[in-house]
Amino acid sequence: MSPAQPGTAETHAEPPVALVPQTAAPWRRRVAAHALAEARTVLRNGEQLVITLVLPVLLLVGLARTTVIDLGTSDRIGLVAPGVLALAVMSTAFTSQAIATGFDRRNGVLRLLATTPLGRGGLVAGKVAAVLLLEALQMTVLVGIALGLGWRPHPAGLPAALGALVLGTAAFTSLALLIAGTLRAEAVLAVANLLWVLLLAGGGVVLPVEMLPGPLAGLVTLLPSGALGEALRTALTDGTFSWGAASVLLAWTVVLGAGTVRLFRWS
Amino acid sequence: MPTTTSTQRAGTPGGAADAGSAGSAGAVVASGLVKHYGSRAAVTGLDLVAPAGAITALLGPNGAGKTTTVECCEGLRRPDGGTVRVLGLDPVRDARRLRPRVGVMLQDGGLPSTVPAGEALRHLAAMYARPRDLGELSERLGLTAFARTQVRRLSGGQRQRLALAAAVIGRPEVVFLDEPSAGMDPQARLAVWELVRELRAQGVTIVLTTHQMAEAEALADHVVVVDRGAVLAAGTTAHIVGDAGAIRITLRPPDGASSTRSDEAHAASLSASLAARLLGGDGPGVTTTATAGVLEVRGAADPDLLHEITGWAVREDVLLASVTCGRRTLEDVFLDLTGRDLR
């Protein structure tokens, strides 16, 4: 018996005259296609995966399960989990996004996409959607592990936490695009990674501001990293919304967003 | 016999008033286009008409303003002066309506480096309502073999072919190709040329930039020679080259002759002689060339003309060391127009 024929492959020829005015795919499909393409690129890239997922997981488990660093509390997971969620946002919305955009800019990808029906607006929308998609994935993994480690977040604080995540994403994505749109690709790579390390160490993301030396503490609450960390800790530990931290994030978004709109260079 | 109006100098750009209504005259029309980068002028009052359904080549040396012109047509740059219309629309103001109808191949590729080639193409196809068949296009341009290879690992020619596929995936009505065959081997170049000609047969308007004379001669219906941000000559290839052909002669004074007449004087003498002896009117033009002792007679290389030239040589007592009949090449014209200095 011969195997089934693979069908009449490729019998349809190209139409002889293709000159009807072409139309774009619907806006949602274009943005979704771009978001999925960007998310796939991150997930396929080893270094991006390390900074967005592997390191946050290691920090979550390491800080919750070991006592190498004195956290000054017995509820280690309760303190660490919100901070690691904040770090994950910083990884995806800032470091990973800045590097991807910086290299896409250098390689002419931004310019080419701007000539397709996606356009510049669709490109930005697709990037935001990709960041949110990746964050959803990160949250699923990190929250799952934290719950497994005995984390019991305050249920009343969930809407506040969601709001803080959105504000933090907006602020850090603005910073990513500002850097990616103004510096050379290699400089973007260096700055994005360096800032991630510096903010992790002393930016009030994972560890609360109170643990930093006196004068630094006040300054750090005004950084987007410190504000996002505090907003998530307040929401998930106390169940309340931190208006102060939210205002700081909003202010950063406005300033960085305006800077991006003015200074971003597409080529 | 057609006289040799070999090149048509573009006049200074007039107003751009009639550009908006010129949709039927050309699929791509630029009038008095001006673009500065800081204090440097990249394009200085450029006029361009790319007829619908034809291949137009922007030909010029590096830095002539070709890419800037094309980028203004693609809506990537906002002109500082003049107007640009593509399919009757403004590339910046009407970008949303125009983008689905225009395909673009950038000089630097524009494809993400860590993405497999096939996936990059599929991503772009998703932007259009009715994209071309991916399999068919990949087969045509020989992309199938490296569909799973990351863009950054492709050779220059493979990357160019992928970028060309990206430019045509949406079935555009107008395609802009910036240096389409740079870095390609001869086989790949032929495949690209074949695809471009097929697009033309389907009625697609193609505007390409190149500094390769062979490419412009092989492909273009319409050539626009650009240098220092302005048009030096525009027309069909035959029009620019001069359909009537040319005869090149190399003069050598007879041995022992002390005459040291200049090439210019020889050219004037030959020109006058031809005008007097060939059926009245203006004779074929005679010009000097960049090579000392070589004159170019522009006109159909027929036996009569050749006979008159040798007759003139006898009367003037100069030896014709060589006589070459043929068409001028675009390269001759190009060098005449843009000069022979290295930049």
Side-chain angles (χ1 to χ4, degrees):
Chain A
M1 285 303 234
S2 66
Q5 292 298 307
T8 51
E10 309 295 343
T11 43
H12 75 285
E14 287 293 307
V17 172
L19 277 193
V20 281
Q22 298 304 315
T23 47
W27 189 83
R28 276 209 307 226
R29 211 170 85 206
R30 303 195 305 261
V31 171
H34 187 69
L36 287 175
E38 285 224 353
R40 255 199 312 267
T41 305
V42 171
L43 294 177
R44 196 167 27 219
N45 185 316
E47 299 134 50
Q48 302 262 38
L49 213 52
V50 166
I51 205 163
T52 52
L53 217 51
V54 177
L55 286 178
V57 167
L58 288 178
L59 275 170
L60 178 66
V61 176
L63 286 174
R65 276 300 165 94
T66 66
T67 50
V68 180
I69 297 179
D70 178 20
L71 298 179
T73 171
S74 56
D75 181 16
R76 296 184 69 90
I77 187 70
L79 184 71
V80 166
V84 168
L85 297 186
L87 178 72
V89 168
M90 208 170 82
S91 302
T92 297
F94 173 60
T95 303
S96 166
Q97 183 56 239
I99 295 169
T101 306
F103 279 89
D104 275 357
R105 171 169 159 252
R106 187 183 72 180
N107 293 330
V109 178
L110 301 185
R111 287 191 307 139
L112 184 68
L113 286 172
T115 71
T116 71
L118 184 63
R120 291 176 179 178
L123 181 59
V124 174
K127 281 184 173 299
V128 171
V131 168
L132 294 176
L133 194 69
L134 288 166
E135 285 180 358
L137 184 71
Q138 289 175 302
M139 295 307 141
T140 308
V141 171
L142 292 170
V143 169
I145 293 176
L147 291 176
L149 292 172
W151 184 40
R152 294 296 170 260
H154 201 302
L158 290 181
L162 210 59
L165 287 176
V166 170
L167 284 172
T169 301
F172 277 112
T173 307
S174 304
L175 180 61
L177 295 182
L178 179 62
I179 291 177
T182 51
L183 302 180
R184 281 186 308 114
E186 289 76 11
V188 173
L189 184 67
V191 169
N193 280 319
L194 189 66
L195 269 182
W196 188 86
V197 172
L198 289 179
L199 292 180
L200 169 62
V205 194
V206 175
L207 300 179
V209 174
E210 303 89 66
M211 291 183 67
L212 294 167
L216 203 59
L219 195 69
V220 164
T221 46
L222 297 177
L223 294 179
S225 54
L228 177 60
E230 287 312 301
L232 283 174
R233 276 187 287 273
T234 314
L236 296 170
T237 311
D238 309 332
T240 55
F241 188 70
S242 166
W243 290 99
S247 310
V248 170
L249 289 174
L250 199 62
W252 277 107
T253 305
V254 170
V255 170
L256 295 169
T260 304
V261 169
R262 286 178 66 93
L263 302 173
F264 193 94
R265 292 197 311 269
W266 291 80
S267 55
Chain B
M1 189 182 297
T3 46
T4 55
T5 50
S6 66
T7 57
Q8 155 209 323
R9 292 264 163 185
T12 46
D18 58 343
S21 58
S24 59
V28 179
V29 181
S31 313
L33 180 65
V34 176
K35 182 70 193 175
H36 296 271
Y37 298 127
S39 61
R40 192 175 67 84
V43 176
T44 56
L46 180 141
D47 297 303
L48 165 73
V49 176
I55 301 173
T56 300
L58 284 180
L59 183 64
N62 293 330
K66 305 185 297 287
T67 295
T68 300
T69 301
V70 166
E71 287 183 343
C72 286
C73 297
E74 294 161 353
L76 283 174
R77 295 191 188 280
R78 198 181 287 269
D80 295 326
T83 55
V84 178
R85 291 290 178 274
V86 177
L87 298 169
L89 299 169
D90 183 321
V92 176
R93 205 183 53 219
D94 306 317
R96 274 237 313 250
R97 278 201 285 163
L98 204 48
R99 283 189 205 118
R101 304 171 64 186
V102 172
V104 170
M105 175 178 177
L106 298 174
Q107 203 176 106
D108 51 7
L111 297 162
S113 56
T114 59
V115 173
E119 210 167 288
L121 197 55
R122 207 172 316 123
H123 174 207
L124 290 166
M127 303 300 156
Y128 302 90
R130 291 192 315 115
R132 282 179 71 134
D133 183 74
L134 277 170
E136 175 266 345
L137 186 59
S138 301
E139 204 63 49
R140 280 293 306 276
L141 287 169
L143 312 178
T144 317
F146 55 83
R148 290 160 167 272
T149 309
Q150 287 189 355
V151 170
R152 64 176 159 190
R153 307 209 186 286
L154 301 181
S155 73
Q158 289 173 330
R159 210 174 293 188
Q160 289 288 96
R161 278 183 276 158
L162 180 63
L164 177 65
V168 303
I169 189 74
R171 300 179 196 268
E173 293 157 72
V174 178
V175 180
F176 293 102
L177 308 173
D178 201 352
E179 306 270 352
S181 55
M184 283 189 186
D185 57 30
Q187 287 82 359
R189 187 174 304 134
L190 284 179
V192 167
W193 288 3
E194 196 185 312
L195 180 74
V196 170
R197 290 194 184 106
E198 188 187 293
L199 290 170
R200 174 180 57 190
Q202 291 168 354
V204 177
T205 304
I206 295 121
V207 177
L208 59 90
T209 73
T210 183
H211 54 246
Q212 294 177 40
M213 242 54 61
E215 184 160 77
E217 255 187 316
L219 270 184
D221 307 301
H222 188 77
V223 176
V224 179
V225 182
V226 180
D227 196 20
R228 299 179 205 280
V231 173
L232 295 180
T236 60
T237 318
H239 181 104
I240 287 199
V241 168
D243 230 355
I247 300 177
R248 279 178 165 243
I249 56 176
T250 310
L251 306 179
R252 191 194 299 158
D255 293 341
S258 58
S259 115
T260 46
R261 255 214 299 186
S262 68
D263 286 351
E264 285 78 12
H266 277 304
S269 159
L270 175 54
S271 184
S273 164
L274 295 177
R277 298 182 69 98
L278 289 170
L279 295 168
D282 304 328
V286 181
T287 54
T288 58
T289 65
T291 316
V294 177
L295 300 186
E296 191 174 76
V297 181
R298 297 189 190 167
D302 59 17
D304 277 351
L305 178 57
L306 204 53
H307 182 72
E308 292 304 331
I309 292 171
T310 52
W312 167 82
V314 171
R315 289 191 300 279
E316 297 293 319
D317 195 24
V318 290
L319 185 65
L320 297 183
S322 76
V323 176
T324 317
C325 302
R327 267 184 51 178
R328 299 186 79 204
T329 63
L330 196 49
E331 188 143 10
D332 292 334
V333 179
F334 181 76
L335 289 174
D336 284 353
L337 287 170
T338 61
R340 289 172 163 76
D341 298 333
L342 286 177
R343 331 218 156 140

